[in-house]
Amino acid sequence: MSERELLAHSRSSLSGLRHPLVDHLRGTAALARSFAEVFGAGETAEYLALVHDVGKGCGAWQDRLINHAEATGKPVGIPHKEAGTALAAQAVGRRLAAVVYGHHGGLPDQGKVKKVLAELRGSELNAVRAREATEAVARVVPEILREGRIPPPAWLSRIETGRNRALTVDAFTRMLFSCVVDADYLDTAAHFAGEKVRVAPGADMTALLERFEQRRAQLLARRAASPVDELREGVYEEALAAAAGAPGMYVLHVPTGGGKTIAAGGFALRHAVQHGLRRVVFAVPYISITQQNAEVYRDLLDPTAEDEADPVVLEHHSSVELDEEDGAGAWARLAAENWDAPVVVTTTVQLFQSLFAHKPSVMRKLHRLAGAVIVLDEVQALPDRLLIPILSMLRELVERFGASVVLASATQPSFWSLAQLDGLPRRSVIEDVTRLFDALRRVSYEWRLGPDVTWESIAGDIVAEGGEQVLTVVNTTRDSARLHRLLAGADGGPRVTAPVWHLSTRMTAEHRREVIKHVRGELAAGRPVHVVSTSLIEAGVDVDFPRVYRAWAPAESLQQAAGRCNRDGRLTQGTVVVFRPTDGGTPKDQSYQAAMDASAEYFGPGAHTPDHLEALAGYYEKRWALQGTDGRLMGEGIQELRQLLDFPAVADEFQMIDNRYAQSVIVIRPEKSDEERAAIEADIALLRSPYPAGPEPLRRLQPHMATLPRHEVAQALRSGLAQPVIGDLVEWQGKYDAVRGLDPNDPEDRGGYVI
């Protein structure tokens, strides 16, 4: 072929320049090396990135880039991953060659890689083009051709062959893949933005800890005194002292209202300073807590407006599934988040779906977990059906990738009774947990579990006995909407005189945040306020009601709901009413039913209250035992797929939220001003555009997203009540209730929208 300059990407509309392939390969390689050095694999990641786009060097690909892709804005349409896959197989082995083969469409299974490598030894068109590309690129990037193999990190070589080594290779491959695809995306995005690659500088964790301490003191000085302040201060001081311990797996077991959020932050920052760790990642089970905790940590860590510095805290909870393939909307994958902030507040869904995924946009952030402090708040909410792979992967992060993990909860599961943590030291942040629980016991329980309990009777009980400030927590969004309508008088029920507020994931994140802020204000002012919520409020949301009603649920949920009652200890005793409506809804999966059965055995009238520590430990072990001894119902099958390096199958099996049901919806609420509406619409347009947008549009749109079951979204799309945006994200164009959001009990007449 001619000596023309080889190109990686078409002309940038901003700089007017094309992207030389030499620059892209070496730029991506340098970034990938810097990402992987923290876990001892810099050389391997560098080489995989160096060869990832070698296939673009063939004449046919170069011609199509100029004459077709650049002219039409459409993909080149010629495969280019095969040449680099063959080079990677020679230099690092077939298993890791999957990183190169999957850098666009996702990590493949090993059968696919083996088949491709066999085909490349033949005379088919792809094989001929791969050899041509390798020869062309080697003339300008000669280091793609190596004499010998790149050895694995020393720590990996020391692991003996067997099940544990296979699981470690799975985790290692995922980390390398993350380094390569993040580097690829960053270098590509920089080209199209007409600028140099922007990589966030390493955080000064010592300065952040000092800022945290200073602002915490200011925050406490502004707060009204509480009877539990001294206990919370003791928890904080004990957490700081524990942070000097060696990196590993820590347990932060603190009762609700014990100041766990700030104690976890203090521990994480002090631990990072003590051991040179790079960032702190907080993961929580509910978006509502993500929003609340992110706000707390922003207040304590973000620079002031006068500083003009970059924010410290990144809040990330979008669950949008982006298109990965070279086709319409391919550039959308560059909008994926890569967690390049010193402090990340995310959801456990985001964290673990990323760890077990196989698509680049989801996995590009994983390397940020190496050398990080990972705080898993409300760990009791981790799903039993995935517990085995989750604990296994957390152990990999601790033992192989230099992370420290903090398991935080008021209802701490007995994880060390499971084989996945056998032999791993259990490091306690709080030594005398029993004393702390005794000191912070602030509620009494009442039980309504008879056959005559219905939503109507509970509504009547709330009206007659609840008083002026009541929180009711139920199990499903349909139940929350139904009870809210009863209490608000919409269905002719026994209406309460106080304002009744509603919280569920069918409301946008911004809407929920506004409601929680308003409710806190009403509680602080002593004004009447009633709230009906799904479980999103019961774990970590800082509200304090004198009386709480909780629909029958697993024991940890009952105790978490109780944590919203008399939280600051201002009453002698708060009251928690546990009720079981005969017409109530509950999840149907087997793990949830096991939890319900174990709860009924240990807790209730004449038995233990949900805050009894010994009963709680027995409850967890019973609940897991009810799911069988072979681990099938707790994710053992996923472990077997991980050993086979079958990444697509693992991703299919590992679903924190069943994606057949949950889907994100952008809602522009009716009360938005013209200016606000225009800004939201502009971000939606950016996502629909075929050009790179970076992660910023999705970040800005997160507050405007609600969640719906997929079948409802599909029906709305057919009826014209929703329009596609990108991936599986849609824009809602139908009714949005000012109180209940996308109300399941008040569906819009879709027939009027059918064309």
Side-chain angles (χ1 to χ4, degrees):
M1 83 181 266
S2 67
E3 293 301 318
R4 64 180 176 177
E5 182 180 45
L6 299 178
L7 301 173
H9 299 109
S10 56
R11 200 180 301 277
S12 164
S13 61
L14 295 175
S15 70
L17 301 175
R18 294 177 174 131
H19 199 185
L21 184 58
V22 172
D23 293 350
H24 179 53
L25 294 182
R26 288 183 172 150
T28 302
L31 282 172
R33 183 183 186 107
S34 69
F35 294 156
E37 280 178 341
V38 68
F39 54 94
E43 186 179 6
T44 303
E46 179 183 40
Y47 185 77
L48 291 170
L50 185 72
V51 301
H52 81 285
D53 270 355
V54 164
K56 292 182 176 181
C58 77
W61 197 95
Q62 293 288 312
D63 290 341
R64 285 277 292 183
L65 176 71
I66 301 301
N67 301 324
H68 173 72
E70 190 168 273
T72 65
K74 295 181 179 180
V76 171
I78 293 177
H80 69 271
K81 53 197 175 188
E82 286 79 6
T85 302
L87 289 167
Q90 296 167 17
V92 297
R94 170 169 54 83
R95 291 176 175 178
L96 295 183
V99 170
V100 175
Y101 188 80
H103 76 272
H104 279 304
L107 281 170
D109 62 78
Q110 283 296 297
K112 179 65 176 177
V113 179
K114 190 174 182 180
K115 179 182 177 183
V116 167
L117 291 173
E119 290 172 349
L120 290 175
R121 291 190 288 270
S123 58
E124 298 295 324
L125 181 59
N126 280 349
V128 172
R129 284 175 171 170
R131 288 192 285 270
E132 177 198 338
T134 300
E135 292 173 6
V137 175
R139 287 195 289 269
V140 290
V141 188
E143 60 267 35
I144 67 170
L145 302 179
R146 292 183 59 94
E147 291 294 329
R149 296 275 288 249
I150 299 173
W155 60 262
L156 183 57
S157 301
R158 289 193 292 268
I159 302 174
E160 295 181 3
T161 301
R163 173 187 171 91
N164 290 339
R165 180 180 172 83
L167 293 172
T168 298
V169 170
D170 165 89
F172 182 59
T173 306
R174 293 172 185 278
M175 279 291 187
L176 283 173
F177 184 68
S178 170
C179 294
V180 171
V181 297
D182 192 27
D184 182 19
Y185 292 173
L186 287 169
D187 193 74
T188 301
H191 161 68
F192 282 100
E195 58 189 26
K196 292 183 178 180
V197 175
R198 289 183 294 175
V199 178
D204 185 343
M205 303 305 285
T206 300
L208 289 182
L209 176 60
E210 291 173 356
R211 182 186 295 173
F212 185 92
E213 293 272 16
Q214 181 182 27
R215 291 190 184 173
R216 174 182 172 271
Q218 295 168 352
L219 174 67
L220 294 178
R222 293 194 303 268
R223 278 186 175 177
S226 160
V228 298
D229 284 348
E230 186 176 344
L231 287 167
R232 289 171 178 166
E233 185 64 23
V235 168
Y236 184 76
E237 292 298 329
E238 201 166 346
L240 290 187
M249 188 89 76
Y250 283 80
V251 172
L252 178 58
H253 195 176
V254 176
T256 55
K260 177 162 52 67
T261 299
I262 292 181
F267 173 92
L269 289 167
R270 176 70 65 88
H271 193 68
V273 170
Q274 187 82 22
H275 300 289
L277 302 182
R278 305 185 304 163
R279 68 178 34 80
V280 177
V281 178
F282 297 96
V284 293
Y286 303 114
I287 291 175
S288 55
I289 320 174
T290 310
Q291 296 161 346
Q292 173 186 279
N293 289 7
E295 186 175 345
V296 170
Y297 292 132
R298 273 194 293 264
D299 289 343
L300 292 168
L301 289 169
D302 269 356
T304 61
E306 297 79 40
D307 292 338
E308 297 184 356
D310 290 333
V312 169
V313 179
L314 169 68
E315 179 183 354
H316 180 222
H317 47 71
S318 171
S319 58
V320 178
E321 294 182 5
L322 297 175
D323 183 9
E324 304 286 347
E325 300 297 339
D326 286 336
W331 284 116
R333 59 182 182 268
L334 294 176
E337 187 56 73
N338 73 341
W339 289 1
D340 59 348
V343 176
V344 177
V345 184
T346 188
T347 61
T348 47
V349 172
Q350 261 299 330
L351 175 66
F352 290 112
Q353 286 291 159
S354 301
L355 278 164
F356 293 93
H358 78 118
K359 295 290 189 179
S361 68
V362 186
M363 298 179 69
R364 65 178 294 194
K365 65 177 85 73
L366 291 189
H367 67 91
R368 309 287 183 179
L369 298 175
V373 185
I374 305 166
V375 179
L376 299 177
D377 203 359
E378 311 297 352
V379 290
Q380 78 286 344
L382 293 175
D384 289 1
R385 57 190 170 78
L386 301 174
L387 207 49
I388 288 174
I390 283 175
L391 294 178
S392 170
M393 189 66 82
L394 289 176
R395 186 168 189 163
E396 293 288 346
L397 290 173
V398 168
E399 293 187 327
R400 315 298 181 197
F401 298 98
S404 278
V405 172
V406 181
L407 306 174
S409 176
T411 49
Q412 195 68 232
S414 307
F415 288 141
W416 268 261
S417 67
L418 298 173
Q420 285 63 45
L421 297 189
D422 185 40
L424 183 70
R426 183 186 189 276
R427 304 180 186 278
S428 295
V429 175
I430 304 298
E431 291 301 327
D432 193 346
V433 174
T434 301
R435 179 196 63 81
L436 190 59
F437 268 74
D438 289 341
L440 282 171
R441 190 166 281 112
R442 307 176 304 280
V443 304
S444 61
Y445 288 84
E446 296 179 5
W447 307 88
R448 312 272 197 275
L449 306 179
D452 57 341
V453 179
T454 64
W455 288 118
E456 284 76 10
S457 72
I458 287 300
D461 193 300
I462 292 170
V463 171
E465 306 290 339
E468 293 188 327
Q469 296 182 333
V470 180
L471 168 65
T472 306
V473 184
V474 301
N475 293 319
T476 68
T477 57
R478 189 168 295 278
D479 284 350
S480 66
R482 180 177 180 183
L483 182 59
H484 181 272
R485 293 171 69 85
L486 280 170
L487 293 175
D491 289 343
R495 177 173 182 167
V496 297
T497 56
V500 186
W501 298 90
H502 177 267
L503 287 167
S504 85
T505 53
R506 297 179 75 104
M507 300 158 60
T508 67
E510 178 186 61
H511 190 182
R512 294 193 300 269
R513 184 182 298 151
E514 291 169 359
V515 170
I516 291 171
K517 181 178 180 180
H518 175 79
V519 167
R520 285 195 187 118
E522 297 297 276
L523 290 169
R527 289 189 286 267
V529 59
H530 283 242
V531 178
V532 178
S533 176
T534 58
S535 59
L536 66 83
I537 199 173
E538 73 183 5
V541 179
D542 190 2
V543 290
D544 186 359
F545 285 84
R547 191 173 181 91
V548 170
Y549 286 75
R550 182 49 167 108
W552 178 253
E556 69 276 11
S557 292
L558 302 182
Q559 187 183 338
Q560 292 292 340
R564 307 322 112 195
C565 183
N566 195 23
R567 188 175 181 84
D568 290 327
R570 302 186 191 282
L571 303 174
T572 304
Q573 285 280 290
T575 302
V576 178
V577 179
V578 180
F579 64 97
R580 183 163 51 203
T582 55
D583 50 349
T586 58
K588 304 301 182 186
D589 69 90
Q590 205 162 345
S591 294
Y592 193 87
Q593 191 56 54
M596 296 285 268
D597 292 344
S599 296
E601 180 173 330
Y602 280 90
F603 307 102
H608 298 292
T609 56
D611 56 1
H612 192 284
L613 293 180
E614 291 182 9
L616 199 63
Y619 152 77
Y620 277 116
E621 293 185 28
K622 176 70 173 181
R623 158 178 158 177
W624 296 333
L626 287 172
Q627 297 175 64
T629 57
D630 63 356
R632 290 286 155 184
L633 293 179
M634 297 177 70
E636 179 58 38
I638 293 172
Q639 295 291 83
E640 294 171 3
L641 293 170
R642 287 182 61 207
Q643 292 179 74
L644 298 173
L645 300 184
D646 191 342
F647 299 101
V650 169
D652 286 342
E653 291 296 319
F654 190 97
Q655 297 295 328
M656 288 284 284
I657 297 176
D658 196 328
N659 284 333
R660 291 173 298 176
Y661 303 111
Q663 191 165 348
S664 294
V665 176
I666 299 171
V667 179
I668 305 179
R669 293 160 62 195
E671 59 267 35
K672 290 295 178 186
S673 67
D674 290 344
E675 183 178 356
E676 290 171 327
R677 177 177 292 273
I680 297 169
E681 289 174 345
D683 279 331
I684 292 172
L686 280 172
L687 292 182
R688 285 176 171 148
S689 162
Y691 300 104
E696 287 79 11
L698 272 178
R699 288 181 185 177
R700 290 190 294 263
L701 286 169
Q702 281 183 160
H704 310 293
M705 292 186 195
T707 304
L708 282 180
R710 282 190 179 269
H711 72 272
E712 289 191 30
V713 175
Q715 188 174 9
L717 286 167
R718 290 192 297 269
S719 305
L721 287 177
Q723 295 295 327
V725 176
I726 199 167
D728 69 343
L729 180 63
V730 304
E731 179 187 1
W732 187 259
Q733 297 181 329
K735 180 179 178 181
Y736 185 87
D737 186 88
V739 178
R740 290 181 293 273
L742 302 171
D743 188 349
N745 292 332
D746 187 21
E748 195 151 7
D749 178 12
R750 290 171 170 81
Y753 290 81
V754 177
I755 299 174

